[in-house]
Amino acid sequence: MDKDIYTFDADREHQGLAVVIVNFTTGNHERKGAENDLQYMKETFKRLGFKVEFHTDVNTGDMKRLLEQCKHSFI
């Protein structure tokens, strides 16, 4: 099986890590509803058995570093 393909196993206690990034602002504009997006995603992934790590208002450089850290922690 290809290691890059994720298969969901409902019998498994922990499905993995879900990294949720929500930016509440885009430039000078506030994103309406971003709080709802964050809450919905946290609840959904937890219900599906994922450990949820969330980050808010992440700039491009920090997002790249964060994703690299996540990638290396699961190799």
Side-chain angles (χ1 to χ4, degrees):
M1 179 181 229
D2 187 344
K3 73 175 189 168
D4 290 335
I5 297 174
Y6 178 81
T7 56
F8 184 84
D9 181 356
D11 294 328
R12 193 175 357 177
E13 184 178 345
H14 300 287
Q15 296 297 327
L17 173 66
V19 178
V20 177
I21 300 170
V22 176
N23 288 334
F24 290 95
T25 57
T26 302
N28 294 329
H29 304 286
E30 183 178 334
R31 285 189 57 239
K32 302 283 188 222
E35 295 89 4
N36 294 337
D37 293 343
L38 176 60
Q39 189 61 34
Y40 178 77
M41 286 188 280
K42 284 168 51 176
E43 290 173 5
T44 299
F45 283 116
K46 281 184 179 183
R47 190 175 66 246
L48 291 171
F50 286 84
K51 175 183 176 195
V52 181
E53 181 178 300
F54 66 94
H55 303 270
T56 59
D57 293 325
V58 179
N59 65 38
T60 303
D62 289 340
M63 189 178 300
K64 287 179 182 179
R65 281 187 288 282
L66 172 66
L67 294 175
E68 274 299 313
Q69 289 171 354
C70 291
K71 179 176 102 174
H72 291 295
S73 67
F74 288 100
I75 292 178

